[in-house]
Structure formats: structure tokens, C-alpha cells
Amino acid sequence: MERKKYVVIMAAGSGTRMGGDLPKQFMEIGGKAILRRTIEAFVQACPGITVVTVLPEVHVGYWRDYCIKSNFICPQIIVKGGITRFHSVRNALSKVPDGALVAVHDGVRPFVSPELIRKMYERAAHVPALIPVLPCVDTMKMLEKKKDADGNPVLGEIPGAHVDRELLYGAQTPQIFHSEILGEAYSQAYDTAFTDDASVVSAHGKKLSFVIGERLNIKITTQEDLVLAKAILEVICRS
Ligand code: C5P
């Protein structure tokens, strides 16, 4: 039987790296909230998908009002976030039954293409965990935070440390899983090494599969990213 599609949209971060009072997921680009654009990408790719939106507890009312005021009529199961991303995902999984395909996606990645979303759900039906990655284009350095003679923070080399760029890839979202496997993985105790869902599933001993992601699928994190996001939107709207 075909697995039902769910997407968990992670939007419970406080967005402190951006500055300002309103977390970045609620900021508008091109007249629409970033979070709305992200949800729309999934609904457009997979009509009938179940959307679980994870929000900061203090912004649940704000988001409900925003959806009404901006005429964004999309059924969403709203879940309150946790202290870390891990705890937020765990809260959301209480709304996802076993036997489904569940994507976990950052609410601040609005430019994921419907083509990648569709392609990934198709492939994820056949593997337990599917992760989009991009080959690393920069030369990478392993450095440590130190103090100079005056006690000021500086970066210093780690003697002998070498990173082979050919082996390095950056992980993106959406990461798609068989829901019962993701649920089991999230019953583990929290570890600070869990920076994405793939790391949680991998620590639980499950095999990961990979697809090549998309350069424009940026995670809007800083003020500079907001400038980039506006430029990407213009290009997408023109094409
Ligand atoms: O902090 P980071 O940049 O890794 O956040 C990635 C995504 O996870 C963001 O969309 C953010 O809103 C979400 N998040 C969350 N709950 C937290 C922390 C982050 O839903 N406690």
C-alpha cells in the first residue's frame, strides 16, 4: 500500500542570528512570509499532503492571525516547539502515524523546488532515509578557537589536521524517512551531535541514502541571506 505523505515544517527557532524581534521564518519576502512560501512549495508539489507546522509557543497566535489576515488557507497541524530542534521534531512526530513517508524541512528554506520534493518522495518509498546533499566547493579548514597573548579570541590551525574536500558534502533538507524509523530514532536520548535528522537516524544504526540537493535551496539564517533570498525570488519569478 502507498505510504501517506507528511511534511514537518520546522519553524520553532527564535532566529536570533538575524537580529530583530520577529523570527526570520515570519519575515516577508516579495509580500509573503518565508514560512508560507516554504509550506506552499510542498502543497504545490504534493497536493493532499499533511502539513505539520512546528512553531515557537509564543508565536502560535501570531501565525494563526497571519494566515487568516493574508488569506493563506492551508490546513496545518500546529505543534509547539521544544528547547532544541531535536525536541521540536520529537514533538511533531507525535502527530505522524507509523507507515507514512515523512519529510522534515526547515521552515526557512522556501526555495526547494517542487521537482526535488516529488523526486525525493518517489525514491524515499524504497529506502528508509533519504538525504539531499551538495558537494563542498570551498577549501575547508579545521581550526580551533584560541586566545592570543592579550586574551583576545583568535582562530588557530590544528597541527596535522587535513580535510579532503572530495569527501565533504553539506546536508540540506527536506530529509525524508519511513515514519516508523524516524519515530524509533527520536526515542533516543538527546545528543548535541544531533544537528539534523540524518544524524539521529544514523546514530540509531539505520542506513542513509543520498540525492544531490539544490544550490538555491538556501537556509535563510542571516541578514545577508535575506538579501540573497530576495534576489533568488526575483530570478524564480522571472523564469
Ligand atoms: O537552528 P537551526 O538553524 O539549525 O534551525 C533549523 C530549523 O529548525 C529552523 O527552521 C528553525 O526554526 C527550526 N528550529 C525548531 N526548533 C528549535 C530550533 C530550531 O523548530 N528549537
Side-chain angles (χ1 to χ4, degrees):
M1 210 175 67
E2 197 178 324
R3 288 172 175 266
K4 197 168 160 0
K5 295 184 185 70
Y6 280 71
V7 60
V8 173
I9 303 283
M10 302 307 303
S14 56
T16 46
R17 278 170 289 190
M18 184 74 85
D21 290 336
L22 192 65
K24 60 209 169 186
Q25 57 271 32
F26 303 120
M27 291 179 187
E28 290 193 336
I29 47 173
K32 272 188 198 178
I34 291 171
L35 179 56
R36 173 176 178 170
R37 289 188 180 277
T38 305
I39 294 172
E40 281 178 342
F42 280 82
V43 176
Q44 193 190 331
C46 307
I49 193 169
T50 302
V51 178
V52 180
T53 308
V54 192
L55 297 172
E57 186 165 4
V58 290
H59 286 97
V60 170
Y62 170 88
W63 182 241
R64 285 195 207 281
D65 290 347
Y66 180 91
C67 291
I68 294 166
K69 269 193 239 139
S70 61
N71 205 24
F72 179 42
I73 307 160
C74 169
Q76 299 165 64
I77 300 171
I78 303 288
V79 172
K80 290 171 195 159
I83 185 91
T84 69
R85 189 183 184 282
F86 175 92
H87 298 92
S88 293
V89 175
R90 192 189 260 170
N91 289 355
L93 290 179
S94 67
K95 305 292 178 194
V96 181
D98 286 353
L101 278 183
V102 59
V104 184
H105 187 64
D106 294 328
V108 286
R109 289 187 190 264
F111 301 121
V112 58
S113 75
E115 293 74 29
L116 181 69
I117 294 171
R118 274 194 289 267
K119 186 174 87 177
M120 285 191 63
Y121 273 111
E122 272 169 33
R123 175 126 183 255
H126 308 288
V127 293
L130 187 61
I131 316 301
V133 291
L134 280 181
C136 189
V137 289
D138 295 316
T139 294
M140 306 305 285
K141 303 282 180 211
M142 258 176 93
L143 304 176
E144 58 188 349
K145 288 176 184 153
K146 293 181 173 170
K147 295 253 159 83
D148 67 12
D150 300 321
N152 301 313
V154 286
L155 291 173
E157 279 182 274
I158 301 175
H162 168 71
V163 192
D164 183 355
R165 186 172 65 182
E166 291 294 304
L167 300 176
L168 292 183
Y169 291 78
Q172 299 187 324
T173 70
Q175 302 184 352
I176 309 191
F177 307 88
H178 293 192
S179 59
E180 61 281 10
I181 286 173
L182 192 62
E184 272 172 30
Y186 267 91
S187 65
Q188 292 175 95
Y190 173 65
D191 188 311
T192 50
F194 294 155
T195 49
D196 68 351
D197 310 291
S199 50
V200 181
V201 167
S202 189
H204 190 57
K206 292 290 186 274
K207 181 176 177 290
L208 305 177
S209 301
F210 300 95
V211 290
I212 295 298
E214 296 177 325
R215 290 264 166 225
L216 295 188
N217 181 17
I218 62 167
K219 180 160 96 170
I220 303 173
T221 308
T222 62
Q223 284 291 348
E224 291 86 347
D225 294 336
L226 212 49
V227 176
L228 270 180
K230 286 174 187 162
I232 293 172
L233 190 63
E234 270 190 32
V235 173
I236 289 176
C237 288
R238 262 194 265 119
S239 63

Short mmCIF file of all heavy atoms in Angstrom, two decimals, residues 8-15 17 23-25 35 54-56 80-89 104-109 173 195-196 219-221, ligand 1:
data_model
loop_
_atom_site.label_atom_id
_atom_site.label_comp_id
_atom_site.label_asym_id
_atom_site.label_seq_id
_atom_site.Cartn_x
_atom_site.Cartn_y
_atom_site.Cartn_z
N VAL A 8 6.88 17.76 7.98
CA VAL A 8 7.03 18.52 9.22
C VAL A 8 7.85 19.76 8.89
O VAL A 8 9.00 19.65 8.44
CB VAL A 8 7.74 17.67 10.31
CG1 VAL A 8 8.04 18.53 11.53
CG2 VAL A 8 6.90 16.46 10.68
N ILE A 9 7.25 20.91 9.05
CA ILE A 9 7.94 22.17 8.74
C ILE A 9 8.47 22.75 10.05
O ILE A 9 7.70 23.11 10.95
CB ILE A 9 6.97 23.18 8.07
CG1 ILE A 9 6.35 22.59 6.79
CG2 ILE A 9 7.68 24.51 7.81
CD1 ILE A 9 7.25 22.58 5.58
N MET A 10 9.80 22.83 10.15
CA MET A 10 10.44 23.26 11.38
C MET A 10 10.54 24.78 11.42
O MET A 10 11.28 25.38 10.64
CB MET A 10 11.87 22.68 11.46
CG MET A 10 11.92 21.17 11.39
SD MET A 10 10.85 20.40 12.59
CE MET A 10 11.51 21.10 14.08
N ALA A 11 9.77 25.39 12.32
CA ALA A 11 9.76 26.86 12.38
C ALA A 11 9.68 27.34 13.82
O ALA A 11 9.10 28.38 14.11
CB ALA A 11 8.58 27.39 11.57
N ALA A 12 10.28 26.56 14.74
CA ALA A 12 10.19 26.94 16.15
C ALA A 12 11.47 27.59 16.66
O ALA A 12 11.63 27.78 17.86
CB ALA A 12 9.84 25.72 17.00
N GLY A 13 12.38 27.93 15.74
CA GLY A 13 13.60 28.61 16.17
C GLY A 13 13.32 30.06 16.50
O GLY A 13 12.36 30.65 16.01
N SER A 14 14.21 30.64 17.32
CA SER A 14 13.98 32.03 17.73
C SER A 14 14.58 33.01 16.72
O SER A 14 14.29 34.20 16.74
CB SER A 14 14.58 32.28 19.10
OG SER A 14 15.95 31.93 19.06
N GLY A 15 15.45 32.50 15.81
CA GLY A 15 16.00 33.34 14.74
C GLY A 15 16.89 34.45 15.25
O GLY A 15 16.94 35.52 14.66
N ARG A 17 20.08 34.84 15.14
CA ARG A 17 21.23 35.26 14.32
C ARG A 17 20.85 36.37 13.36
O ARG A 17 21.68 37.07 12.83
CB ARG A 17 21.79 34.06 13.54
CG ARG A 17 22.71 33.22 14.38
CD ARG A 17 23.06 31.92 13.70
NE ARG A 17 21.94 31.00 13.67
CZ ARG A 17 22.03 29.74 13.30
NH1 ARG A 17 23.18 29.23 12.92
NH2 ARG A 17 20.97 28.95 13.31
N PRO A 23 11.01 36.39 14.51
CA PRO A 23 11.88 35.35 13.94
C PRO A 23 11.79 35.33 12.41
O PRO A 23 10.76 35.64 11.83
CB PRO A 23 11.30 34.06 14.54
CG PRO A 23 10.61 34.49 15.79
CD PRO A 23 10.06 35.86 15.50
N LYS A 24 12.93 34.97 11.80
CA LYS A 24 13.07 35.12 10.34
C LYS A 24 12.01 34.37 9.54
O LYS A 24 11.61 34.81 8.46
CB LYS A 24 14.47 34.66 9.92
CG LYS A 24 14.74 33.21 10.28
CD LYS A 24 16.19 32.92 10.55
CE LYS A 24 16.30 31.53 11.17
NZ LYS A 24 17.61 31.15 11.60
N GLN A 25 11.51 33.24 10.07
CA GLN A 25 10.53 32.45 9.31
C GLN A 25 9.24 33.23 9.05
O GLN A 25 8.49 32.93 8.13
CB GLN A 25 10.22 31.11 10.00
CG GLN A 25 9.71 31.17 11.43
CD GLN A 25 10.83 31.17 12.45
OE1 GLN A 25 11.93 31.68 12.19
NE2 GLN A 25 10.57 30.62 13.63
N LEU A 35 7.80 31.48 5.78
CA LEU A 35 7.19 30.20 6.18
C LEU A 35 6.05 29.80 5.24
O LEU A 35 5.90 28.63 4.87
CB LEU A 35 6.68 30.33 7.63
CG LEU A 35 5.99 29.12 8.23
CD1 LEU A 35 6.87 27.89 8.19
CD2 LEU A 35 5.59 29.42 9.69
N VAL A 54 5.68 23.36 13.05
CA VAL A 54 6.17 23.48 14.43
C VAL A 54 6.57 24.92 14.68
O VAL A 54 7.39 25.49 13.96
CB VAL A 54 7.40 22.56 14.65
CG1 VAL A 54 7.72 22.46 16.14
CG2 VAL A 54 7.16 21.17 14.09
N LEU A 55 5.95 25.52 15.70
CA LEU A 55 6.12 26.97 15.94
C LEU A 55 6.59 27.24 17.36
O LEU A 55 6.32 26.44 18.27
CB LEU A 55 4.76 27.66 15.77
CG LEU A 55 4.11 27.62 14.38
CD1 LEU A 55 2.70 28.17 14.46
CD2 LEU A 55 4.94 28.41 13.38
N PRO A 56 7.23 28.40 17.58
CA PRO A 56 7.51 28.78 18.97
C PRO A 56 6.16 28.98 19.67
O PRO A 56 5.24 29.56 19.07
CB PRO A 56 8.24 30.13 18.83
CG PRO A 56 8.62 30.27 17.40
CD PRO A 56 7.67 29.44 16.61
N LYS A 80 3.71 22.84 19.12
CA LYS A 80 4.64 23.76 19.81
C LYS A 80 6.05 23.19 19.80
O LYS A 80 6.23 21.98 20.01
CB LYS A 80 4.19 23.98 21.25
CG LYS A 80 2.91 24.80 21.33
CD LYS A 80 2.36 24.80 22.74
CE LYS A 80 0.93 25.30 22.72
NZ LYS A 80 0.17 24.90 23.91
N GLY A 81 7.04 24.06 19.58
CA GLY A 81 8.43 23.62 19.50
C GLY A 81 9.02 23.29 20.86
O GLY A 81 8.41 23.53 21.90
N GLY A 82 10.23 22.73 20.82
CA GLY A 82 10.94 22.37 22.05
C GLY A 82 12.19 23.22 22.21
O GLY A 82 12.44 24.14 21.42
N ILE A 83 12.99 22.85 23.17
CA ILE A 83 14.15 23.65 23.55
C ILE A 83 15.23 23.63 22.46
O ILE A 83 15.95 24.60 22.25
CB ILE A 83 14.69 23.19 24.93
CG1 ILE A 83 15.82 24.06 25.44
CG2 ILE A 83 15.10 21.75 24.96
CD1 ILE A 83 15.31 25.18 26.29
N THR A 84 15.38 22.50 21.75
CA THR A 84 16.30 22.41 20.59
C THR A 84 15.49 21.89 19.41
O THR A 84 14.35 21.44 19.57
CB THR A 84 17.44 21.41 20.83
OG1 THR A 84 16.88 20.09 20.85
CG2 THR A 84 18.19 21.66 22.13
N ARG A 85 16.14 21.91 18.22
CA ARG A 85 15.48 21.39 17.02
C ARG A 85 15.08 19.92 17.25
O ARG A 85 14.00 19.50 16.83
CB ARG A 85 16.43 21.52 15.83
CG ARG A 85 15.78 21.20 14.49
CD ARG A 85 16.82 21.28 13.38
NE ARG A 85 16.23 21.08 12.06
CZ ARG A 85 15.89 19.91 11.56
NH1 ARG A 85 16.07 18.79 12.28
NH2 ARG A 85 15.37 19.81 10.35
N PHE A 86 15.96 19.15 17.90
CA PHE A 86 15.68 17.74 18.18
C PHE A 86 14.35 17.61 18.94
O PHE A 86 13.49 16.81 18.58
CB PHE A 86 16.83 17.16 19.02
CG PHE A 86 16.61 15.74 19.49
CD1 PHE A 86 17.06 14.67 18.74
CD2 PHE A 86 15.97 15.48 20.70
CE1 PHE A 86 16.88 13.36 19.18
CE2 PHE A 86 15.77 14.18 21.14
CZ PHE A 86 16.23 13.11 20.38
N HIS A 87 14.18 18.42 19.98
CA HIS A 87 12.96 18.32 20.79
C HIS A 87 11.74 18.79 20.00
O HIS A 87 10.64 18.27 20.18
CB HIS A 87 13.13 19.10 22.10
CG HIS A 87 14.24 18.54 22.95
ND1 HIS A 87 15.54 19.01 22.87
CD2 HIS A 87 14.26 17.51 23.83
CE1 HIS A 87 16.30 18.30 23.69
NE2 HIS A 87 15.55 17.39 24.28
N SER A 88 11.94 19.75 19.10
CA SER A 88 10.83 20.21 18.25
C SER A 88 10.38 19.09 17.31
O SER A 88 9.18 18.85 17.14
CB SER A 88 11.25 21.42 17.42
OG SER A 88 11.47 22.53 18.25
N VAL A 89 11.34 18.40 16.70
CA VAL A 89 10.98 17.29 15.78
C VAL A 89 10.24 16.22 16.57
O VAL A 89 9.22 15.69 16.12
CB VAL A 89 12.23 16.70 15.08
CG1 VAL A 89 11.85 15.48 14.24
CG2 VAL A 89 12.91 17.73 14.21
N VAL A 104 11.13 16.05 6.81
CA VAL A 104 11.37 17.10 7.80
C VAL A 104 12.13 18.20 7.05
O VAL A 104 13.16 17.94 6.42
CB VAL A 104 12.18 16.59 9.00
CG1 VAL A 104 12.32 17.69 10.05
CG2 VAL A 104 11.52 15.36 9.62
N HIS A 105 11.57 19.42 7.11
CA HIS A 105 12.13 20.51 6.30
C HIS A 105 12.21 21.78 7.12
O HIS A 105 11.29 22.10 7.89
CB HIS A 105 11.23 20.73 5.07
CG HIS A 105 11.79 21.72 4.08
ND1 HIS A 105 12.96 21.49 3.40
CD2 HIS A 105 11.35 22.93 3.68
CE1 HIS A 105 13.21 22.52 2.60
NE2 HIS A 105 12.26 23.42 2.76
N ASP A 106 13.31 22.52 6.94
CA ASP A 106 13.47 23.80 7.65
C ASP A 106 12.49 24.82 7.08
O ASP A 106 12.45 25.03 5.86
CB ASP A 106 14.90 24.33 7.46
CG ASP A 106 15.95 23.44 8.12
OD1 ASP A 106 15.63 22.83 9.15
OD2 ASP A 106 17.07 23.37 7.59
N GLY A 107 11.76 25.47 7.97
CA GLY A 107 10.79 26.48 7.54
C GLY A 107 11.42 27.67 6.84
O GLY A 107 10.73 28.46 6.20
N VAL A 108 12.74 27.79 6.96
CA VAL A 108 13.44 28.92 6.35
C VAL A 108 14.18 28.50 5.07
O VAL A 108 15.16 29.13 4.68
CB VAL A 108 14.42 29.57 7.36
CG1 VAL A 108 13.65 30.36 8.39
CG2 VAL A 108 15.31 28.52 8.01
N ARG A 109 13.69 27.44 4.43
CA ARG A 109 14.22 27.04 3.11
C ARG A 109 13.06 27.06 2.12
O ARG A 109 12.55 26.01 1.71
CB ARG A 109 14.81 25.63 3.16
CG ARG A 109 16.11 25.49 3.94
CD ARG A 109 16.65 24.08 3.75
NE ARG A 109 17.76 23.78 4.62
CZ ARG A 109 19.04 23.89 4.26
NH1 ARG A 109 19.37 24.33 3.06
NH2 ARG A 109 19.99 23.56 5.11
N THR A 173 17.81 20.10 3.77
CA THR A 173 16.50 19.48 3.96
C THR A 173 15.71 19.78 2.68
O THR A 173 16.07 20.72 1.96
CB THR A 173 15.75 20.02 5.19
OG1 THR A 173 15.35 21.38 4.93
CG2 THR A 173 16.60 19.96 6.44
N THR A 195 22.57 17.38 14.78
CA THR A 195 22.31 18.69 14.19
C THR A 195 21.30 18.61 13.05
O THR A 195 20.87 19.64 12.52
CB THR A 195 23.61 19.33 13.68
OG1 THR A 195 24.30 18.37 12.89
CG2 THR A 195 24.50 19.77 14.84
N ASP A 196 20.97 17.39 12.62
CA ASP A 196 19.89 17.21 11.64
C ASP A 196 19.26 15.84 11.88
O ASP A 196 19.70 15.09 12.77
CB ASP A 196 20.39 17.38 10.19
CG ASP A 196 21.32 16.26 9.75
OD1 ASP A 196 21.73 15.43 10.60
OD2 ASP A 196 21.64 16.19 8.55
N LYS A 219 19.32 28.02 3.37
CA LYS A 219 18.67 28.18 4.69
C LYS A 219 18.83 29.64 5.07
O LYS A 219 19.95 30.11 5.30
CB LYS A 219 19.34 27.27 5.71
CG LYS A 219 18.74 27.37 7.08
CD LYS A 219 19.08 26.15 7.93
CE LYS A 219 20.27 26.42 8.80
NZ LYS A 219 20.51 25.38 9.80
N ILE A 220 17.74 30.38 5.10
CA ILE A 220 17.82 31.82 5.39
C ILE A 220 18.11 31.99 6.87
O ILE A 220 17.25 31.72 7.72
CB ILE A 220 16.52 32.54 4.97
CG1 ILE A 220 16.23 32.30 3.49
CG2 ILE A 220 16.62 34.04 5.26
CD1 ILE A 220 14.89 32.83 3.01
N THR A 221 19.34 32.40 7.16
CA THR A 221 19.79 32.45 8.55
C THR A 221 20.21 33.85 8.98
O THR A 221 19.90 34.29 10.07
CB THR A 221 20.99 31.48 8.74
OG1 THR A 221 20.62 30.19 8.24
CG2 THR A 221 21.39 31.34 10.19
O1 C5P B 1 18.94 26.47 14.47
P1 C5P B 1 18.91 25.92 13.09
O2 C5P B 1 19.36 26.94 12.09
O3 C5P B 1 19.55 24.60 12.90
O4 C5P B 1 17.35 25.71 12.76
C1 C5P B 1 16.91 24.99 11.65
C2 C5P B 1 15.40 24.98 11.64
O5 C5P B 1 14.93 24.35 12.83
C3 C5P B 1 14.78 26.38 11.58
O6 C5P B 1 13.76 26.36 10.60
C4 C5P B 1 14.24 26.59 12.98
O7 C5P B 1 13.06 27.38 13.03
C5 C5P B 1 13.96 25.17 13.46
N1 C5P B 1 14.05 25.00 14.93
C6 C5P B 1 12.96 24.49 15.62
N2 C5P B 1 13.03 24.36 17.00
C7 C5P B 1 14.13 24.73 17.67
C8 C5P B 1 15.25 25.25 16.97
C9 C5P B 1 15.19 25.36 15.58
O8 C5P B 1 11.93 24.17 15.01
N3 C5P B 1 14.14 24.62 18.99
#
